[in-house]
Amino acid sequence: MRVPRPAALLKRAKRAGRYEVHAYWRRRPIVPNTVLYESFSGNGMLDNPEAIFRALLAAPDLAHLKHIWVLSDMRQYASTIAEFAGDDRVSFVKYRSSAYFRALATSNYLVNNATFPADFGKRPGQVYLNTWHGTPLKRMGYDIAGGALDTANIVRNFVSADYLLAANEFMARQMYESAYKMENIYRGLIVEEGYPRIDRQRLNGAEAASARARLEDAGLPLGDREIILYAPTWKGGSFGRPDDDVDELLARVDRLESLIDTDRYVVLLKTHQIVHRLVKDRPELRRMLVPNELPTNVILGVSDMLITDYSSIYFDFLATGRPVLFLTPDIDEYAGYRGLYFEPDEWPGPAVRTVDELAEHVRQIASGEGLPTGIRARYEAAREAFCPFEDGHVSERVIDIVFRGNVDGHRVRRAATDGRPSILLYAGGMRPNGITTSMLNLLDHLDYDRYDVSAFFAKSRNAVHIAKQRELNPNVRQFPRVGGMNGSKVTQLARHLSFRRGQIEQHRTDPKQRMLWDDEWVRCFGDSRFDYVVDFSGYGPYWAMQLLHSPVATRSIWLHNDMLADAEREIRGHKPNKRSLDAVFDLYREYDHLVSVSPALTEINRRNLAKVAGPEKFLSAQNTVNSARILREGAVDLRVMLSDPETGELPAWALDLIEGPKRTTFVSVGRLSPEKNQARLIRAFAAVHAQRADTRLLLIGHGPLVGELEALIAELGLTDAVYLTGLQSNPYAIMAASDCFVLSSNYEGQPMVILEALTLGLPVVTVDFGSAKDALPAGVGLVVPTSDEDLAEGMRAFLAGDVTAGDFDPDEYNRRAMQQFYRAIGVEAPVATRGGGTASDSLGA
């Protein structure tokens, strides 16, 4: 047994202590009239929260409010703390300290320009304003290819917010409602009143002089020179790990200074928040780097010209009416991997690739010639579109809405909704297995014109799981679960003990445990509501229990197998599913519909589980099949797919399949585990191979029985005829190169591999497990008894030409399967039939 190192144990102890502190304060009352502010995870008193804070301090009728600021480093921001040392209304807490979690749990108002951490779950009585931090030029959220997973904590924060602040209509519609899929789900208010931080750009003479003095005090040699502010965005593949491109930035500033009149102009560098920590200690930047604690918009207010690349800062600067220039040497690469909402020929300033070109525009502006007429027209159009409300009084209007509750006369609205019913589907563990394939296929066949669909799953670091998560249909809103349950360790222990003792009902009967689950729902989904809630996995009691704490909805849970048999299944004397499935069975009575994946399986589960749910709850909905993908991947060149990328060599089994003597190939796909009973298939094949040496068997998959099956193959002398290929990312190309698909399972729900084989035109031979006849369309394939000899006879029947692929129409099959799905989750009420079943039970393939 591996013993944790002392450092790891200390880290765990600290984490446990933090959880306990947070849990304690979450049980305490909300403190009225307290406001918690956080900008960029504590990177200073900055941005919209700062502007709102200062306006609140100046509002006589709100002088009773207490203000708490989050800072990441008390030493770094000592000047900020000192500024308010004499004001007992203002206090500071360090990010992620015990005081931070106390404030997060008990503050009345929460104001953030980014996101609170995964620990955050809004409590009743808290009012959350999320201001975000700019109108986007760069594509955001789901508008970035593969960007959905990176939105996890952002979407979670947005659906928890009471107010989302938008600087303009474009930001509200394109960013909130579209890019982050708030349409139909967000239940708070969108405030389109402009940006409070832009109020800070309107400086009178004294304020401008003060701002310049602060820059001078920071070591920036301004003199009486005009300021050119260079403010590029961050670069890199991850917001949390930006590229350190400071040498490039420094070289550009040096080159620009060499080409312009530096007696008239000084060039200052303003880095992005997340880049600043990488550059702040570079001595060669001291003469140009704007300190992070100085509010960006105040610096914009004293800047005469702005140079940026893809940063949203330029939208703010438009309000000044002063020139914007764009230096974009990497635009082809950047636009390719991130994407932009507007092309350079739409930007309100010239976009150039070199510093020399940039300097020429600076000189033109300095001479009084200004920018070309066409660019000036674009500038005015952009200013009207993106800064229509920037009159210097935005903070006052936002305060009136959020802190006084006055919405009349302000630009406040609900998020757009089109009336589609909403479905939340728990997608399971995202392992590469049949349930995941069925789930992905289902999401590819849902009617998104008719339904608004969200998927829930644990955010994983496993590359295989992430790859599956990235296959989710792009129409689906994703709720990847980040972080863990709040609540005291005592309550968490009680929850675990209840599970181990089989006292599953305590998730709703014990007040503390019920609160634990209700809080977790809010932490994950905020104020979201769903009409239909579906546990498509059906194997995890934790997830099944969580979905039962949704607000009122029609709830369904999937039964992918003979569930009682699955619970009793043994592997080496152990029943791995017993405890978890017994807990799931106890939860069945709380679900509205128990959905098996075939009519025969419905009857099996209805009979076996009669003690936990009434017969009317058991319905069926067959799985769909992704025929387009199967046919596309089935056509892949096997040699290219299977060759070692370094040596070009093929595995022995692939070499035999591609270049060996012509042989009839039987193929089976599935996890190498007891319920799949590949041992029976190998023994049956041995009898066939003894009579027909021109045959081979391929077993695609991996699992706990690989060693036992290898031993059996050797024992039977089949090492040159039976091959274990291992897990394959594309089994369809191997199946397409085979002649007959064979299934030897003890039990199945509705095996996807049969549908996949039929789509590829393969004849199918299967043993008669409980739902086998439902798995095959009428008149297609061959179902045989479960003995070794009967399975061997079925394979011989294929060799004799007596088993054909039949006529399988995947499109018609999918149409009928989707009808079953909609009825099963309650969208269309099932019609009762004699015998206790429903019409959906009798829909055949």
Side-chain angles (χ1 to χ4, degrees):
M1 180 178 176
R2 186 177 179 182
V3 179
R5 295 179 178 178
L9 289 172
L10 180 61
K11 186 177 181 180
R12 289 183 187 176
K14 287 182 176 179
R15 185 168 61 243
R18 188 187 79 220
Y19 288 155
E20 204 61 29
V21 167
H22 193 203
Y24 171 80
W25 288 111
R26 285 183 61 84
R27 297 194 300 271
R28 308 304 296 167
I30 301 296
V31 180
N33 302 316
T34 50
V35 190
L36 179 70
Y37 305 88
E38 183 175 317
S39 288
F40 301 113
S41 301
N43 273 355
M45 182 181 283
L46 302 167
D47 207 79
N48 290 307
E50 186 229 9
I52 293 168
F53 160 71
R54 291 183 183 276
L56 281 170
L57 283 181
D61 64 321
L62 296 169
H64 59 284
L65 294 177
K66 300 290 185 179
H67 308 272
I68 306 168
W69 264 98
V70 178
L71 296 176
S72 59
D73 188 323
M74 296 302 182
R75 286 185 180 180
Q76 182 179 349
Y77 304 116
S79 61
T80 299
I81 297 171
E83 181 183 352
F84 299 96
D87 193 333
D88 62 4
R89 295 176 297 168
V90 183
S91 60
F92 299 87
V93 296
K94 186 176 180 181
Y95 184 63
R96 296 193 72 80
S97 66
S98 295
Y100 171 80
F101 285 107
R102 174 181 180 174
L104 186 62
T106 61
S107 293
N108 191 177
Y109 295 92
L110 308 170
V111 182
N112 202 321
N113 79 333
T115 59
F116 289 114
D119 315 71
F120 168 67
K122 192 180 71 175
R123 297 177 62 197
Q126 290 188 312
V127 178
Y128 179 12
L129 166 64
N130 191 295
T131 72
W132 203 240
H133 47 267
T135 301
L137 171 62
K138 307 179 290 284
R139 290 188 178 273
M140 306 287 282
Y142 289 76
D143 290 344
I144 305 170
L149 281 178
D150 295 329
T151 71
N153 198 40
I154 298 173
V155 168
R156 197 183 68 85
N157 269 259
F158 284 175
V159 296
S160 296
D162 299 277
Y163 300 95
L164 295 176
L165 182 60
N168 47 64
E169 183 182 11
F170 169 79
M171 182 180 174
R173 297 195 182 282
Q174 185 62 57
M175 195 190 89
Y176 288 132
E177 292 179 333
S178 179
Y180 288 106
K181 291 189 179 289
M182 291 296 103
E183 181 179 359
N184 288 330
I185 196 77
Y186 178 60
R187 296 174 62 83
L189 295 174
I190 295 177
V191 180
E192 294 180 27
E193 282 289 355
Y195 251 16
R197 72 186 189 189
I198 298 178
D199 291 348
R200 303 276 283 144
Q201 293 172 196
R202 290 176 170 260
L203 306 176
N204 59 34
E207 290 168 335
S210 174
R212 290 180 67 93
R214 292 180 71 183
L215 289 168
E216 290 270 8
D217 291 344
L220 304 177
L222 303 186
D224 59 357
R225 292 181 293 175
E226 298 175 37
I227 296 172
I228 297 176
L229 186 67
Y230 179 33
T233 191
W234 66 279
K235 306 290 175 61
S238 168
F239 185 83
R241 294 183 297 276
D243 292 346
D244 183 355
D245 59 351
V246 64
D247 291 326
E248 292 179 20
L249 302 180
L250 179 60
R252 290 170 192 163
V253 173
D254 286 342
R255 178 62 178 167
L256 179 60
E257 288 179 328
S258 74
L259 297 171
I260 65 173
D261 181 359
T262 52
D263 290 331
R264 177 175 176 181
Y265 293 110
V266 59
V267 181
L268 303 184
L269 175 64
K270 173 62 182 173
T271 56
H272 192 280
Q273 296 291 326
I274 61 168
V275 178
H276 189 80
R277 59 184 169 81
L278 302 176
V279 304
K280 62 185 176 67
D281 296 324
R282 294 282 293 264
E284 64 270 45
L285 294 179
R286 287 174 186 163
R287 66 180 180 82
M288 67 179 71
L289 185 64
V290 176
N292 197 52
E293 59 265 27
L294 298 185
T296 299
N297 291 85
V298 172
I299 306 306
L300 291 178
V302 295
S303 297
D304 298 274
M305 204 179 306
L306 175 68
I307 300 169
T308 187
D309 46 13
Y310 318 104
S311 173
S312 65
I313 195 172
Y314 90 78
F315 291 103
D316 288 21
F317 197 66
L318 289 174
T320 68
R322 301 169 199 150
V324 182
L325 307 175
F326 296 88
L327 178 59
T328 57
D330 58 347
I331 189 167
D332 294 333
E333 175 187 353
Y334 191 88
Y337 95 87
R338 177 68 186 260
L340 303 168
Y341 286 120
F342 305 102
E343 296 303 315
D345 59 7
E346 301 175 87
W347 296 355
V352 298
R353 293 174 183 259
T354 68
V355 176
D356 289 38
E357 294 174 282
L358 182 71
E360 180 58 33
H361 285 293
V362 172
R363 289 193 293 267
Q364 288 177 3
I365 294 169
S367 70
E369 180 180 344
L371 297 174
T373 303
I375 291 178
R376 289 201 298 270
R378 296 205 305 261
Y379 189 106
E380 290 305 318
R383 192 176 182 190
E384 182 177 344
F386 303 118
C387 302
F389 314 125
E390 306 304 340
D391 58 0
H393 300 285
V394 177
S395 300
E396 297 170 20
R397 295 195 294 274
V398 171
I399 288 171
D400 200 35
I401 294 165
V402 176
F403 293 88
R404 299 190 184 100
N406 297 329
V407 297
D408 292 342
H410 294 303
R411 286 171 283 265
V412 177
R413 65 174 178 84
R414 297 286 179 185
T417 180
D418 54 24
R420 285 178 293 162
S422 56
I423 300 172
L424 173 67
L425 182 143
Y426 171 59
M430 295 298 217
R431 297 179 179 87
N433 57 27
I435 292 177
T436 298
T437 299
S438 301
M439 179 273 301
L440 292 171
N441 291 347
L442 171 66
L443 293 180
D444 280 339
H445 286 92
L446 281 169
D447 185 348
Y448 294 98
D449 291 331
R450 187 178 173 191
Y451 300 102
D452 180 275
V453 182
S454 300
F456 178 44
F457 50 88
K459 189 174 184 182
S460 176
R461 295 181 181 178
N462 182 294
V464 175
H465 298 174
I466 291 171
K468 285 298 176 186
Q469 290 168 358
R470 294 197 185 283
E471 292 181 30
L472 288 165
N473 189 291
N475 290 294
V476 175
R477 181 188 301 103
Q478 297 182 23
F479 283 95
R481 182 177 181 266
V482 293
M485 271 184 159
N486 289 313
S488 73
K489 293 299 178 184
V490 172
T491 307
Q492 296 283 14
L493 177 61
R495 174 174 72 85
H496 286 292
L497 288 175
S498 295
F499 170 69
R500 298 189 72 85
R501 293 167 178 166
Q503 298 168 334
I504 306 304
E505 74 286 349
Q506 290 199 3
H507 79 95
R508 66 178 190 282
T509 60
D510 180 277
K512 289 183 179 179
Q513 290 192 44
R514 184 180 186 90
M515 180 178 291
L516 197 71
W517 288 102
D518 289 345
D519 284 353
E520 178 64 2
W521 174 271
V522 173
R523 193 188 70 84
C524 292
F525 300 103
D527 295 324
S528 305
R529 300 289 186 272
F530 303 95
D531 298 305
Y532 305 97
V533 172
V534 177
D535 180 352
F536 193 79
S537 169
Y539 276 87
Y542 175 90
W543 306 98
M545 205 173 292
Q546 181 63 80
L547 295 182
L548 288 170
H549 288 262
S550 72
V552 176
T554 301
R555 303 185 184 95
S556 306
I557 187 168
W558 250 242
L559 286 61
H560 289 277
N561 272 309
D562 176 341
M563 301 303 287
L564 188 60
D566 217 354
E568 298 299 328
R569 172 171 59 91
E570 288 192 18
I571 297 180
R572 301 187 182 97
H574 174 61
K575 297 179 180 179
N577 293 335
K578 175 68 174 172
R579 175 174 286 149
S580 60
L581 282 182
D582 280 351
V584 172
F585 296 160
D586 283 344
L587 296 172
Y588 279 172
R589 60 177 53 88
E590 299 181 57
Y591 275 85
D592 299 293
H593 302 143
L594 312 176
V595 185
S596 300
V597 293
S598 76
L601 195 61
T602 298
E603 292 305 321
I604 293 170
N605 285 321
R606 181 184 282 139
R607 180 178 62 251
N608 291 346
L609 300 170
K611 291 182 179 179
V612 298
E616 73 285 350
K617 285 192 174 186
F618 291 87
L619 307 173
S620 70
Q622 292 178 304
N623 292 317
T624 57
V625 58
N626 189 336
S627 57
R629 177 184 177 185
I630 293 166
L631 294 172
R632 180 178 66 251
E633 296 190 7
V636 169
D637 186 292
L638 270 182
R639 185 180 296 276
V640 173
M641 183 183 87
L642 297 172
S643 294
D644 185 284
E646 295 182 3
T647 66
E649 295 180 358
L650 288 165
W653 65 267
L655 188 67
D656 180 56
L657 180 64
I658 297 171
E659 297 182 0
K662 182 171 177 55
R663 293 198 275 179
T664 298
T665 302
F666 294 96
V667 65
S668 189
V669 182
R671 190 167 186 265
L672 306 184
S673 55
E675 74 277 9
K676 302 298 182 181
N677 204 342
Q678 286 96 350
R680 172 168 53 197
L681 175 54
I682 292 169
R683 292 191 299 268
F685 175 79
V688 173
H689 187 68
Q691 298 170 334
R692 291 283 301 269
D694 60 339
T695 54
R696 69 166 70 86
L697 172 64
L698 301 179
L699 299 177
I700 303 173
H702 191 70
L705 299 188
V706 61
E708 293 180 21
L709 295 178
E710 286 174 339
L712 179 61
I713 291 167
E715 177 188 333
L716 296 175
L718 296 173
T719 53
D720 62 347
V722 178
Y723 300 101
L724 306 182
T725 74
L727 189 66
Q728 298 292 323
S729 59
N730 176 11
Y732 307 123
I734 303 169
M735 293 168 67
S738 303
D739 300 291
C740 179
F741 182 84
V742 188
L743 196 62
S744 182
S745 298
N746 293 334
Y747 58 90
E748 292 274 359
Q750 186 197 17
M752 292 303 302
V753 286
I754 285 183
L755 298 177
E756 292 161 353
L758 293 174
T759 300
L760 290 167
L762 284 176
V764 173
V765 175
T766 178
V767 297
D768 191 10
F769 52 85
S771 57
K773 292 183 174 62
D774 286 340
L776 281 168
V780 174
L782 178 64
V783 179
V784 298
T786 58
S787 70
D788 293 2
E789 180 54 34
D790 285 318
L791 182 55
E793 278 301 310
M795 298 164 76
R796 293 188 189 102
F798 166 75
L799 292 171
D802 295 333
V803 183
T804 61
D807 184 16
F808 177 66
D809 182 347
D811 293 334
E812 175 60 20
Y813 170 85
N814 284 331
R815 186 189 67 79
R816 296 172 68 85
M818 289 310 299
Q819 287 179 347
Q820 296 174 34
F821 171 80
Y822 293 134
R823 292 176 183 174
I825 67 171
V827 172
E828 301 174 24
V831 179
T833 59
R834 281 186 290 181
T838 67
S840 62
D841 292 345
S842 59
L843 284 172

